[in-house]
């Protein structure tokens, strides 16, 4: 093998490269979509000009396909195509130069060609490749003569190349025009204007399309300069460019397609697309003339503006769909996804929306669910073009996703699906139902506890009398009687334990800790929101910063949930309404309305407001809403909710204002203390209490005569001078008569006419330094109430012993002394 020989591998690579280049050339030709198209004036004009310019009987625009040459435009030839293997043009497209055959009979390539030996009897041939901007040669512009020639000058070659460029420009423009057509517009085919001018810019050719485009008939346009269609502001630049080319300067627009403004005869401007070519008699000389293919692009400009606006609108719509919390997906008529937003993709476990494209919607459902949708939803969708319901989908990991879906049928048969994951909502509804059941159970249990507490309270008074009497007997009885008193005392102690269990029935010990009131209110709002009927709105107004309070979270949730549910149930389902849950800073004074439960807290407090636009309440109903077992809801209410609210509010030292009237809705204002309630500590007995009450005046108040008698005798054993009273009014009268006579006030809480708290407050108004000891069957309940903390100095439980009575007295006296800095005044031993 010599150095000039190619190996088989080299030859194979070369052949493959040639084959690839030919495939690309044929693809570029096919992309023009011009083969076998109808004749077009723009191309026919060029072949006519070529035949006329070169005095040739035949001129062709020939496009070379895989196996033929097809004539897009022809002059002097009847046939529309010939086989490629005998065509001259297949040789011409091998080079960028003009191929000239002066006499085909003398050319070994063509002397035996059927087109030479027979019709059309080719002797002379000159062809220029039609080279696209992509570089692909797709055919030729050629002129043919049956007579041999002796010369084809460079000027001729340049003119033929210029005309070939015009053909290429027309092909490029034709392709651009087709690519810009939009299906939804009824476009009108606007023929291109073809204008030729000489070197002095005088118009020498003006076709019909130019007449239509610019409003000048050809008879008036011919001989005029191009200034007639160039706007005033561009004429100076046009003249400078023409002068530059006349002096041999490089043309800037020739061979390019540019957008420029043109002037209509009416004076209005028309945006046009211009393809400019020029020709010279000899290479390198100034141009002899120019040919321009001009196209009115007004419609295209308007269309582009509309397209841009449409694209912007579509982009905004797509952005909105992508930002939606609801899942949105679109399928083609076969059910395959062509769009899926981020929310829908996340809902079903896709990394993003593109990962689902091309997949069938049924892949997101089990076979049973797919059949259900096809049998139940799709018939309605086909008839009404819409369907709404619930379904259970299947994530990529196989887990279920409960969804609320809305299907819309597209005009092409595809489907738009809008879906929402309702798993959280269903969980919230289940949690709501659980809390309701829990709340109802707690309400029932609390009602039972209240009943038991009432019984135990009265029973405790009896036990107190029995135990106290036994203690008195024990103090001075003979041994035999003392044994009997011991048995009575033991039985009384056992009964007291039983009463303590009854008192704890239905009660739970509050677990108070610091919490954010706003967070609790927000949780209540989420639980209630899912159960609102359509058209009802829940508005939550919370401060930006946490509002901290010490409270039992379960009790606070009970209060707020009861109030919010009552507000929801008060709404009219047949018309729109609104519930507002607000956490507000304390105003200068308590809110309007009447305080129904508790009192305004003495320390700092926050206002929690639950307001509705429901039916409201009449005055007689409003007066009873906190009564146990009273309900205005009929069979739907238990009558326990607000009674539980009242108990919790009182024990927490809070206050509840209510304002309501028929037809205007209701407003519940809850004043919740922000500082932790003062807790009573158990009195620490000390030996110093010996003689503590000796000679001191002590008032004892209880509505049970036996209890008063026992307490009086026990206090008298300690040396006190006792003033027994069965009513609070009697004790107040005694204090009012001689305040300094009394050293201590011992009182029960639950008494007719005036309870122990009211008695203590009025007694303090008469004698501020008077210690008050609460003796009650429910000591723990009162100790946990901040309201009681502001009234009583110490609390002890029934039944009492002399020791517990003296412990409580000492704790009350020390507490009051700590407030005033001195021991309370009162009668003392003489």
């Amino acid at each position: 093998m010599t150095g000039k020989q190619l190996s088989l591998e080299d030859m194979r690579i070369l052949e493959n490269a040639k084959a690839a280049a030919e495939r690309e050339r044929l693809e570029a030709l096919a992309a023009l979509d011009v083969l076998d198209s109808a004749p077009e004036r723009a191309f026919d004009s060029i072949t006519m000009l070529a035949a006329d310019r070169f005095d040739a009987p035949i001129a062709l625009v020939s496009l070379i396909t895989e196996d033929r040459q097809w004539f897009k435009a022809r002059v002097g030839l009847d046939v529309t195509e010939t086989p490629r293997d005998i065509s001259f043009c297949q040789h011409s497209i091998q080079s960028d130069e003009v191929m000239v055959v002066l006499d085909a009979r003398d050319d070994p390539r063509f002397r035996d060609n059927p087109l030479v030996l027979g019709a059309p009897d080719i002797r002379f041939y000159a062809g220029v490749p039609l080279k696209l901007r992509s570089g692909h040669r797709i055919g030729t512009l050629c002129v043919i003569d049956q007579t041999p020639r002796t010369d084809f000058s460079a000027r001729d070659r340049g003119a033929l190349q210029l005309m070939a460029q015009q053909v290429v420009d027309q092909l490029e423009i034709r392709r651009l025009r087709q690519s810009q057509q939009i299906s939804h517009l009824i476009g009108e085919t606007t023929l291109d204007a073809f204008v030729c001018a000489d070197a002095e810019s005088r118009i020498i050719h003006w076709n019909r399309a130019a007449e239509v485009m610019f409003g000048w008939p050809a008879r008036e346009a011919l001989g005029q300069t191009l200034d007639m269609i160039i706007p005033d502001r561009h004429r100076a630049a046009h003249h400078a460019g023409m002068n530059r080319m006349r002096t041999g300067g490089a043309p800037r627009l020739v061979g390019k397609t540019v957008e420029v403004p043109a002037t209509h005869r009416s004076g209005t401007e028309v945006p046009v697309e211009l393809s400019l070519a020029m020709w010279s008699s000899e290479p390198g000389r100034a141009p002899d003339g120019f040919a321009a293919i001009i196209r009115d692009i007004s419609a295209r400009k308007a269309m582009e503006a509309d397209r841009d606006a449409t694209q912007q609108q579509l982009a905004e719509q797509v952005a909105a769909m992508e930002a939606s919390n609801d899942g949105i997906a679109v399928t083609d008529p076969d059910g395959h996804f062509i769009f899926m937003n981020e929310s829908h993709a996340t809902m079903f476990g896709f990394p993003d929306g593109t990962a689902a494209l091309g997949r069938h919607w049924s892949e997101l459902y089990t076979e049973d669910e797919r059949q259900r949708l096809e049998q139940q939803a799709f018939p309605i969708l086909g008839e009404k073009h819409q369907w709404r319901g619930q379904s259970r989908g299947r994530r990529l990991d196989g887990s279920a996703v409960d969804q609320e879906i809305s299907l819309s049928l597209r005009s092409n048969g595809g489907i738009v699906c809008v879906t929402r994951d309702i798993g959280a909502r269903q969980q919230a509804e289940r949690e709501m139902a659980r809390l309701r059941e829990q709340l109802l159970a707690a309400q029932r249990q609390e009602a039972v506890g209240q009943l038991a507490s009432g019984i135990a309270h009265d029973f405790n008074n009896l036990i107190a009398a029995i135990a106290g009497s036994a203690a008195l007997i024990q103090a001075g009885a003979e041994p035999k009687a003392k044994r009997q008193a011991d048995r009575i005392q033991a039985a009384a102690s056992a009964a007291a334990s039983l009463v303590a269990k009854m008192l704890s029935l239905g009660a739970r010990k509050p677990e108070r800790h610091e919490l954010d009131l706003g967070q609790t209110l927000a949780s209540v709002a989420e639980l209630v929101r899912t159960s609102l009927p359509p058209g009802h709105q829940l508005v939550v107004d919370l401060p930006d910063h946490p509002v901290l309070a010490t409270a039992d979270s379960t009790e606070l949730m009970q209060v707020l949930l009861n109030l919010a549910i009552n507000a929801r149930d008060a709404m009219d389902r047949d018309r729109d309404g609104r519930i507002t849950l607000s956490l507000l800073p304390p105003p200068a004074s308590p809110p309007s309305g009447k305080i129904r439960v508790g009192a305004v807290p003495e320390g700092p407090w926050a206002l929690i407001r639950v307001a509705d636009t429901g039916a409201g309440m009449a005055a007689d109903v409003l007066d009873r809403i906190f009564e146990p077992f009273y309900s205005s809801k009929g069979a739907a209410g238990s009558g326990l909710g607000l009674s539980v609210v009242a108990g919790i509010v009182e024990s927490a030292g809070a206050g509840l204002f209510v304002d309501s009237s028929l037809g205007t809705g209701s407003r519940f204002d809850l004043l919740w203390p922000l500082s932790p309630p003062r807790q009573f500590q158990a009195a620490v007995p000390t030996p110093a209490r010996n003689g503590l009450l000796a000679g001191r005046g002590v008032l004892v108040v209880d509505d049970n005569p036996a209890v008063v008698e026992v307490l009086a005798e026990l206090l008298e054993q300690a040396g006190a001078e006792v003033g027994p009273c069965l009513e609070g009014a009697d004790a107040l009268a005694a204090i009012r008569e001689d305040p300094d006579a009394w050293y201590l006030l011992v009182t029960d809480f639950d008494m007719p006419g005036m309870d122990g708290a009211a008695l203590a407050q009025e007694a303090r108004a008469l004698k501020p330094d008077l210690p008050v000891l609460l003796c009650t069957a429910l000591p723990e309940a009162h100790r946990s109430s901040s309201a009681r903390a502001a009234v009583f100095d110490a609390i002890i439980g029934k039944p009492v012993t002399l020791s517990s009575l003296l412990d409580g007295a000492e704790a009350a006296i020390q507490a009051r002394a700590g407030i005033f800095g001195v021991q309370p005044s009162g009668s003392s031993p003489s």
Side-chain angles (χ1 to χ4, degrees):
M1 179 180 298
T2 65
K4 295 183 179 180
Q5 292 178 327
L6 294 176
S7 66
L8 292 177
E9 179 63 19
D10 292 337
M11 293 177 64
R12 185 183 66 80
I13 293 174
L14 183 60
E15 288 300 321
N16 288 341
K18 288 181 178 179
E22 178 64 8
R23 284 194 302 271
E24 291 179 2
R25 189 190 73 80
L26 292 174
E27 289 173 359
L29 175 59
L32 293 174
D33 194 23
V34 68
L35 289 171
D36 299 312
S37 62
E40 297 181 46
R41 181 183 297 177
F43 299 100
D44 292 343
S45 297
I46 296 174
T47 55
M48 291 174 65
L49 286 173
D52 181 67
R53 166 66 178 76
F54 300 107
D55 194 22
I58 300 174
L60 304 170
V61 174
S62 175
L63 301 177
I64 309 301
T65 70
E66 185 176 9
D67 56 1
R68 62 177 175 143
Q69 67 171 350
W70 176 78
F71 306 128
K72 172 60 182 172
R74 65 188 190 279
V75 173
L77 196 64
D78 293 333
V79 298
T80 59
E81 62 180 59
T82 63
R84 174 177 175 172
D85 58 358
I86 64 173
S87 70
F88 281 54
C89 294
Q90 73 165 332
H91 296 276
S92 181
I93 64 172
Q94 301 303 317
S95 170
D96 293 337
E97 303 298 326
V98 179
M99 188 183 89
V100 179
V101 179
L102 297 175
D103 189 345
R105 292 174 299 181
D106 295 336
D107 193 314
R109 294 174 295 175
F110 305 111
R111 64 177 57 153
D112 297 326
N113 192 297
L115 302 178
V116 176
L117 298 178
D121 299 313
I122 298 175
R123 296 296 180 266
F124 171 78
Y125 173 90
V128 181
L130 302 177
K131 185 177 180 181
L132 300 178
R133 294 178 184 176
S134 62
H136 297 101
R137 306 181 192 95
I138 60 168
T140 66
L141 170 66
C142 63
V143 291
I144 298 172
D145 199 348
Q146 287 93 355
T147 302
R149 298 191 182 185
T150 59
D151 185 35
F152 195 72
S153 68
R155 184 171 181 273
D156 293 337
R157 293 171 189 258
L160 189 60
Q161 285 178 322
L162 178 62
M163 293 182 179
Q165 183 59 47
Q166 292 173 354
V167 174
V168 171
D169 289 342
Q170 285 295 326
L171 288 171
E172 296 282 6
I173 292 172
R174 184 183 188 279
R175 175 171 58 183
L176 184 60
R177 182 186 305 120
Q178 291 176 343
S179 66
Q180 292 171 336
Q181 291 177 345
I182 297 180
S183 59
H184 69 276
L185 298 176
I186 304 174
E188 295 181 356
T189 303
T190 304
L191 296 176
D192 295 335
F194 187 65
V195 179
C196 296
D198 62 15
E200 301 302 324
S201 292
R202 289 187 297 268
I203 298 170
I204 59 176
H205 181 77
W206 186 267
N207 70 348
R208 174 61 184 163
E211 293 181 338
V212 175
M213 187 178 299
F214 298 108
W216 296 90
R219 66 180 181 275
E220 298 182 27
L222 295 176
Q224 301 290 328
T225 66
L226 290 174
D227 286 356
M228 65 184 291
I229 61 172
I230 298 175
D232 292 344
R233 65 183 185 280
H234 292 297
R235 286 178 185 172
H238 168 68
H239 294 160
M242 294 297 293
N243 291 332
R244 184 177 59 255
M245 287 188 290
R246 291 190 191 103
T247 58
R252 296 179 179 176
L253 299 181
V254 173
K256 300 179 180 178
T257 300
V258 295
E259 293 182 7
V260 294
T263 304
H264 188 268
R265 184 174 187 174
S266 64
T268 59
E269 288 192 2
V270 180
V272 299
E273 192 172 66
L274 174 69
S275 296
L276 184 65
M278 68 179 187
W279 68 86
S280 301
S281 57
E282 294 182 11
R285 291 186 56 180
D288 295 327
F290 304 90
I293 299 174
I294 306 172
R295 182 182 187 193
D296 185 345
I297 59 173
S298 301
R300 192 184 81 187
K301 284 293 185 182
M303 186 173 61
E304 287 176 349
D306 184 63
R307 179 201 63 196
D308 293 342
T310 301
Q311 287 178 343
Q312 177 65 25
Q313 184 179 8
L314 289 175
E316 292 172 356
Q317 291 174 350
V318 171
M321 289 191 292
E322 285 291 357
S324 173
N325 291 328
D326 289 339
I328 302 175
V330 183
T331 74
D332 61 17
D334 296 325
H336 297 95
F337 289 115
I338 60 175
F339 173 80
M340 181 179 289
N341 73 345
E342 192 72 20
S343 295
H344 198 291
T346 302
M347 189 183 304
F348 283 91
F350 291 103
D352 53 52
T354 60
L357 301 186
R359 303 183 70 156
H360 199 269
W361 68 266
S362 61
E363 296 181 39
L364 305 185
Y365 298 89
T366 63
E367 181 63 21
D368 291 343
E369 187 64 7
R370 180 191 66 80
Q371 291 181 3
R372 186 186 75 83
L373 290 174
E374 289 179 343
Q375 294 171 4
Q376 298 180 12
F378 282 19
I380 299 175
L381 181 63
E383 177 183 354
K384 299 183 178 180
H385 292 185
Q386 287 187 334
W387 179 83
R388 184 187 299 271
Q390 293 186 0
S391 179
R392 170 164 286 189
R394 180 176 58 185
R395 295 188 179 91
L396 291 182
D397 60 7
S399 61
V401 51
D402 292 317
Q403 40 172 176
E404 186 176 72
I405 56 178
S406 175
L407 304 180
S408 299
L409 189 64
R410 301 172 63 205
S411 58
N412 67 350
I415 296 175
V416 177
C417 174
V418 180
T419 181
R420 178 176 298 174
D421 187 346
I422 59 173
R425 188 178 78 187
Q426 291 179 336
Q427 176 63 28
E429 289 175 350
R430 288 192 292 269
E431 179 66 11
M432 181 79 165
R434 185 188 69 80
L435 287 175
R436 278 183 177 174
E437 290 297 325
Q438 190 179 59
L439 179 60
L440 185 58
Q443 290 171 341
R444 289 171 178 165
Q445 189 174 14
E446 185 136 355
V448 172
Q450 290 176 352
L451 179 61
S453 297
I455 296 173
H457 176 271
D458 295 337
F459 191 33
N460 223 359
N461 284 332
L462 298 176
I463 296 173
I466 296 171
S469 299
L472 293 173
I473 295 173
Q474 286 174 317
E478 296 181 357
K480 184 175 181 180
K482 189 174 184 303
R483 286 195 299 273
Q484 302 296 333
D486 289 342
R487 283 197 297 272
I488 296 172
Q489 190 70 276
S493 298
S497 299
L498 180 59
V499 168
K501 292 181 179 179
M502 292 178 65
L503 289 173
S504 65
L505 181 62
R508 60 181 288 275
K509 185 177 181 181
E511 298 179 1
R512 290 186 168 85
H513 58 277
E514 192 172 65
L515 51 80
D516 182 5
L517 296 180
Q519 186 175 4
T520 305
L521 192 61
S523 300
V524 169
E526 288 305 313
L527 291 174
V528 176
R529 193 188 307 276
T530 58
S531 64
L532 289 179
H536 288 188
Q537 182 183 12
L538 179 63
V539 178
V540 182
D541 183 13
L542 301 177
D544 297 331
H545 53 83
V547 178
L548 303 178
T550 301
D552 183 286
S553 59
T554 301
E555 289 185 345
L556 182 59
M557 179 73 80
Q558 276 185 280
V559 170
L560 298 181
L561 194 57
N562 261 304
L563 296 179
I565 290 175
N566 280 353
R568 180 204 64 190
D569 294 343
M571 307 289 280
D572 187 346
R573 289 182 166 268
D574 296 330
R575 63 184 180 91
D576 294 348
R578 183 176 69 254
I579 298 174
T580 304
L581 304 182
S582 308
L583 178 57
L584 307 172
S589 59
S592 62
K594 181 180 179 181
I595 189 166
R596 300 284 176 169
V597 177
V600 177
E602 291 188 353
W605 48 269
L607 191 152
I608 302 174
R609 175 168 293 169
V610 180
D612 64 72
T613 59
M617 292 177 282
D620 58 334
V621 174
L622 189 57
D623 289 337
R624 301 188 60 192
I625 58 174
F626 295 104
E627 294 181 11
F629 306 107
Y630 174 78
S631 174
S632 60
K633 302 179 184 179
S638 64
L640 295 175
L642 290 181
S643 66
V644 171
V645 167
I648 295 174
V649 168
E650 286 186 342
S651 66
L656 185 59
F657 287 75
V658 185
D659 187 16
S660 180
S661 59
L662 285 175
T664 61
S666 302
R667 190 189 78 237
F668 287 75
D669 286 338
L670 176 62
L671 279 56
W672 196 269
L674 297 182
S675 58
R678 182 162 68 111
Q679 301 293 326
F680 284 98
Q681 301 297 325
V684 179
T686 63
R689 71 167 183 263
N690 293 331
L692 176 68
L693 300 179
R696 302 290 188 177
V698 179
L699 281 170
V700 176
V701 185
D702 198 300
D703 60 329
N704 190 308
V707 173
V708 171
E709 185 178 349
V710 168
L711 290 176
E713 291 193 26
L714 289 175
L715 289 170
E716 287 173 353
Q717 285 187 6
E721 296 179 2
V722 181
C725 302
L726 294 177
E727 294 182 4
D730 295 339
L732 292 176
I735 297 173
R736 190 177 296 111
E737 181 180 350
D738 186 3
D740 293 334
W742 306 109
Y743 187 69
L744 175 67
L745 171 63
V746 181
T747 180
D748 191 12
F749 187 84
D750 292 315
M751 299 181 295
M754 178 183 297
D755 63 20
L759 171 60
Q761 290 173 339
E762 293 198 30
R764 289 267 172 71
L766 299 173
K767 183 178 173 61
D769 64 344
L770 179 65
V772 180
L773 172 63
L774 177 64
C775 181
T776 176
L778 303 171
E780 293 301 325
H782 293 290
R783 288 192 181 104
S784 64
S785 171
S786 59
R788 309 296 180 264
V791 176
F792 302 111
D793 296 300
I795 300 174
I796 61 173
K798 295 178 181 179
V800 297
T801 63
L802 179 59
S803 176
S804 67
L805 183 58
L806 292 178
D807 287 344
E810 183 177 15
I813 293 169
Q814 290 179 354
R816 184 53 42 175
I819 296 175
F820 283 87
V822 296
Q823 291 289 333
S825 60
S827 58
S828 58
S830 55

